[in-house]
């Protein structure tokens, strides 16, 4: 639904700047994930170091955006949709900041893995990384467009990443059992996979907040809708 | 009628001459709650408030349709004495309006005029001032003029004066709009205290005030009641878009 503008154009602008800020942080985290994965698949440790260093910028932007939200709470005393928007923005920037940390974690693992011979071609991990990148993008689009369907889609995608993560675990487990020399590398790759899976959790967290923002009702900590629809 | 409902409006229309100020208002006010009336200037908040103690009777050319029940009784029925209604439904106005008399006599004046039992006027004065959290500030100057009090003290005196009549309901029309933040906080604190024993209906232009002190909030626009809901609901997630636009500052 088309929202009417605030009578105060300054207030309107402050809210718009929060939106823009979140999109910008979102783009940075997506890029960080892509680069971390590239540093792994193309064995480029310099790139990995850059990802770790760039995470500082995400942290700074997160702090700055949160401060601006708190200032709006204090000075504008928002209500109703504006209040839900600001609380959602504070949560989203927190999620994005954690996503940035996880991209940096992946880059750290890449640096270690790049020191050793390649265990196997990376196939599922890049797929998973692409999926979580998509989830971040969609979760932020759902925020900008107040789009409940898209938020729901992010929640569905999160289940796919759970499945992928499990599949990767099982595969690596067989590697480790067959050859103990692969254990260290396998564990490292497991952690990359685990980090991607947690990024997906955060994207879902963003989608849940969007649903709260639009409807005023919390969907967090609820069992998945599709589970409940299963016939008994 | 539900036992916790003290005032019930049924399809109320109200006219100043030819022009209709309120349209088809049906709503209930709950006992021992604070209800806030909000909405832009001219939407009919004060008019509605004055209907509840028949103060609009004092304005020429006005006309009401529909019914207003106070407890079980239609207060616009032929046999009802408006003076008695005004005793039970007290009112505090935007600008503190103490009488140009002593503090003591400001409180004692009403009870003396009406046929209330005034055996122990001193006790009534003390009680009322204590209830309005003014006693400690004025107990030594009861015979000084009320006009020398600060604005915030005068407003609490007016509340004490209303309480001395032993009303059931207290109507307040923007009671803090002329007060500084500290006096405002004191009145707000007082309102929260008073609701244990009284039903309070307050008109305010201060959204945060409505949010802070009221249990229920009604939003009016152009003489219509747009939404009446729990205050928490109104300020976090109102049901009606128009309410949301108003309270979030999207208008005009
Ligand atoms: N004594 C009167 N005679 C004629 N019209 C009146 C009278 N009092 C109010 N009105 C009209 O009735 C409508 C509602 O007025 P009312 O004072 O109830 O509004 P309000 O919501 O209290 O506004 P405000 O927030 O400015 O106090 C307005 O259009 C006003 O002009
Ligand atoms: Mg008024």
């Amino acid at each position: 639904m088309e929202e009417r503008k605030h009578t105060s154009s300054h207030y309107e602008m402050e809210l718009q700047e929060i939106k823009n800020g979140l999109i910008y942080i979102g783009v940075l985290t997506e890029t960080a994930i892509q680069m971390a994965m590239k540093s792994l698949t193309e064995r480029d440790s310099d790139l990995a170091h850059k990802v770790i260093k760039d995470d500082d910028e995400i942290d700074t932007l997160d702090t700055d955006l949160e401060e601006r939200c708190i200032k709006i709470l204090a000075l504008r005393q928002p209500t109703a949709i504006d209040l839900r928007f600001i609380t959602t923005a504070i949560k989203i920037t927190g999620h994005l900041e954690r996503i940035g940390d996880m991209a940096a974690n992946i880059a750290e693992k890449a640096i270690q893995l790049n020191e050793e011979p390649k265990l196997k071609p990376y196939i599922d991990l890049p797929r998973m990384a692409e999926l979580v990148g998509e989830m971040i993008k969609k979760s932020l689009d759902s925020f900008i467009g107040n789009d409940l369907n898209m938020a729901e889609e992010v929640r569905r995608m999160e289940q796919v990443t759970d499945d992928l993560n499990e599949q990767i675990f099982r595969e690596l487990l067989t590697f480790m059992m067959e050859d103990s020399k692969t254990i260290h590398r396998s564990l490292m790759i497991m952690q990359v996979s685990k980090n991607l899976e947690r990024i997906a959790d955060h994207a879902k967290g963003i989608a849940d907040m969007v649903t709260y923002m639009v409807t005023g009702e919390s969907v967090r900590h609820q069992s998945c809708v599709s589970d409940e629809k299963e016939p008994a | 009628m539900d036992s916790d409902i003290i005032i019930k409006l049924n399809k109320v229309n109200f006219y100043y001459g030819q022009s209709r100020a309120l349209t088809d208002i049906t709503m209930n006010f709950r006992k021992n709650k604070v209800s806030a009336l909000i909405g832009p200037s001219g939407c009919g908040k004060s008019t509605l408030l004055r209907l509840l103690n028949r103060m609009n009777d004092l304005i020429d050319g006005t006309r009401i349709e529909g019914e207003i029940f106070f407890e079980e009784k239609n207060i616009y029925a032929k046999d009802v004495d408006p003076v008695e209604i005004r005793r039970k439904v007290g009112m505090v106005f935007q600008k503190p309006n103490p009488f140009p008399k002593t503090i003591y006599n400001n409180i004692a004046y009403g009870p003396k005029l009406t046929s209330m039992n005034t055996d122990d006027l001193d006790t009534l004065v003390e009680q009322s001032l204590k209830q309005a959290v003014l006693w400690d500030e004025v107990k030594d100057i009861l015979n000084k003029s009320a006009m020398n009090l600060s604005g915030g003290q005068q407003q609490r005196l007016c509340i004490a004066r209303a309480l001395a009549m032993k009303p059931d309901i207290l109507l307040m029309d923007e009671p803090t709009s002329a007060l500084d933040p500290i006096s405002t906080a004191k009145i707000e604190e007082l309102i929260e205290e008073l609701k244990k024993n009284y039903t309070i209906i307050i008109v305010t232009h201060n959204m945060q005030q409505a949010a802070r002190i009221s249990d229920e909030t009604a939003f009016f626009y152009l003489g219509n009641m747009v939404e009446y809901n729990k205050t928490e609901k109104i300020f976090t997630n109102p049901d009606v878009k128009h309410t949301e636009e108003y309270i979030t500052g999207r208008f005009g």
Side-chain angles (χ1 to χ4, degrees):
Chain A
M1 199 182 332
E2 186 58 35
E3 232 11 283
R4 280 179 68 180
K5 290 202 179 335
H6 290 86
T7 308
S8 160
S9 59
H10 283 99
Y11 186 19
E12 191 71 26
M13 202 166 70
E14 284 166 22
L15 294 176
Q16 187 59 46
E17 280 167 1
I18 297 292
K19 267 189 196 176
N20 296 344
L22 283 172
I23 299 302
Y24 184 60
I25 301 174
V27 170
L28 291 187
T29 60
E30 274 175 68
T31 311
I33 297 167
Q34 276 171 15
M35 293 204 306
M37 288 308 293
K38 196 170 168 205
S39 74
L40 182 68
T41 53
E42 296 184 6
R43 303 176 71 77
D44 182 348
S45 290
D46 288 344
L47 187 59
H49 281 293
K50 181 171 156 42
V51 172
I52 294 165
K53 196 170 146 288
D54 286 356
D55 185 45
D56 289 348
E57 190 190 349
I58 296 179
D59 290 348
T60 309
L61 290 172
D62 164 60
T63 310
D64 173 66
L65 195 127
E66 191 181 293
E67 275 169 10
R68 278 189 285 150
C69 287
I70 289 169
K71 197 170 136 193
I72 290 176
L73 283 176
L75 302 184
R76 301 283 186 185
Q77 299 166 339
T79 52
I81 180 63
D82 296 338
L83 177 62
R84 304 203 304 278
F85 172 85
I86 291 293
T87 43
T88 299
I90 292 174
K91 288 267 191 177
I92 289 180
T93 187
H95 282 301
L96 291 174
E97 187 269 326
R98 296 293 295 141
I99 290 174
D101 290 349
M102 279 156 203
N105 286 346
I106 292 172
E108 273 167 20
K109 300 292 170 284
I111 292 167
Q112 296 181 44
L113 279 162
N114 292 348
E115 313 258 289
E116 298 186 46
K118 210 169 190 168
L119 181 64
K120 65 180 219 55
Y122 299 113
I123 298 162
D124 285 330
L125 275 183
R127 265 183 59 202
M128 195 169 161
E130 208 175 301
L131 199 62
V132 301
E134 186 95 339
M135 285 175 71
I136 296 172
K137 199 172 150 356
K138 284 206 151 86
S139 66
L140 289 174
D141 283 350
S142 73
F143 173 66
I144 298 305
N146 297 324
D147 191 334
L148 288 174
N149 289 330
M150 202 175 284
E152 186 56 40
E153 195 182 331
V154 172
R155 282 191 281 275
R156 277 198 300 274
M157 290 167 83
E158 193 263 341
Q159 296 206 299
V160 180
T161 59
D162 280 350
D163 295 345
L164 269 174
N165 181 43
E166 238 172 73
Q167 180 183 317
I168 290 168
F169 260 57
R170 275 199 302 273
E171 193 188 349
L172 289 167
L173 219 52
T174 51
F175 267 94
M176 294 195 286
M177 285 189 295
E178 276 165 19
D179 179 0
S180 65
K181 286 203 289 295
T182 68
I183 288 180
H184 181 246
R185 281 169 291 169
S186 294
L187 285 176
M188 212 70 81
I189 295 171
M190 277 183 178
Q191 288 183 40
V192 172
S193 174
K194 184 70 197 162
N195 270 293
L196 288 172
E197 189 260 332
R198 285 172 65 197
I199 291 174
D201 285 346
H202 283 288
K204 175 179 175 290
I206 294 174
D208 287 347
M209 281 311 293
V210 170
T211 302
Y212 159 74
M213 178 181 80
V214 176
T215 65
E217 271 152 39
S218 176
V219 290
R220 287 179 300 156
H221 317 301
Q222 277 180 11
S223 60
C224 190
V225 181
S226 58
D227 282 348
E228 287 166 2
K229 279 194 192 135
E230 288 293 334
Chain B
M1 185 152 27
D2 248 330
S3 67
D4 75 331
I5 289 167
I6 188 159
I7 286 194
K8 195 180 179 81
L9 283 82
N10 187 30
K11 300 205 175 84
V12 170
N13 289 294
F14 185 80
Y15 303 84
Y16 292 103
Q18 291 305 306
S19 92
R20 182 157 68 181
L22 289 171
T23 305
D24 200 27
I25 308 291
T26 295
M27 69 191 299
N28 298 330
F29 290 101
R30 295 203 293 141
K31 204 182 250 174
N32 296 110
K33 298 285 173 200
V34 178
S35 303
L37 311 181
I38 61 170
S41 210
C43 70
K45 305 177 297 292
S46 299
T47 301
L48 180 81
L49 216 55
R50 288 196 301 263
L51 276 178
L52 304 183
N53 69 349
R54 294 195 54 171
M55 292 255 295
N56 284 328
D57 292 14
L58 308 173
I59 302 170
D60 279 346
T62 60
R63 184 162 59 88
I64 181 175
E65 294 166 358
E67 301 157 310
I68 299 179
F69 296 96
F70 171 51
E71 285 169 336
E72 305 286 323
K73 182 81 186 152
N74 182 355
I75 63 170
Y76 283 87
K78 290 266 180 300
D79 60 333
V80 172
D81 174 9
V83 174
E84 179 61 8
I85 293 298
R86 281 172 214 141
R87 192 191 67 68
K88 286 183 172 164
V89 185
M91 187 142 179
V92 175
F93 299 87
Q94 172 172 9
K95 261 188 70 192
N97 56 349
F99 305 134
K101 296 173 183 293
T102 63
I103 294 169
Y104 185 97
N105 279 328
N106 260 274
I107 310 289
Y109 184 72
K112 271 198 282 195
L113 265 189
T114 57
S115 48
M116 274 177 75
N117 180 0
T118 52
D119 288 350
D120 199 349
L121 221 40
D122 290 356
T123 311
L124 181 66
V125 168
E126 179 172 342
Q127 261 181 4
S128 307
L129 286 168
K130 275 185 173 159
Q131 272 188 301
V133 200
L134 188 59
W135 176 250
D136 288 341
E137 289 161 66
V138 301
K139 59 174 186 268
D140 300 325
I141 52 167
L142 290 176
N143 290 319
K144 293 260 162 64
S145 167
M147 308 314 279
N148 296 333
L149 296 173
S150 74
Q153 288 172 327
Q154 286 185 8
Q155 193 62 305
R156 276 178 285 145
L157 181 70
C158 293
I159 293 173
R161 189 174 68 190
L163 295 175
M165 301 297 285
K166 309 254 182 229
D168 295 310
I169 300 178
L170 215 49
L171 308 175
M172 300 184 161
D173 199 346
E174 302 182 48
T176 63
S177 64
L179 303 183
D180 70 276
I182 294 171
S183 304
T184 297
K186 282 188 182 160
I187 302 273
E188 288 183 4
E189 167 77 11
L190 175 59
I191 290 172
E192 294 197 64
E193 198 53 38
L194 289 176
K195 81 172 185 186
K196 290 177 191 152
N197 301 309
Y198 304 90
T199 301
I200 294 164
I201 304 172
I202 180 171
V203 168
T204 178
H205 278 292
N206 181 334
M207 297 299 134
Q208 257 61 44
Q209 180 168 71
R212 280 193 297 267
I213 63 171
S214 71
D215 302 292
E216 258 128 44
T217 298
F219 169 56
F220 288 83
Y221 189 73
L222 296 177
N224 293 284
M225 193 185 71
V226 177
E227 180 167 357
Y228 185 29
N229 228 327
K230 290 220 174 316
T231 296
E232 190 185 312
K233 174 86 174 135
I234 292 268
F235 287 97
T236 57
N237 192 16
D239 286 332
V240 183
K241 189 83 191 158
H242 194 177
T243 312
E244 180 153 272
E245 286 171 353
Y246 181 70
I247 62 165
T248 58
R250 295 171 166 89
F251 46 82

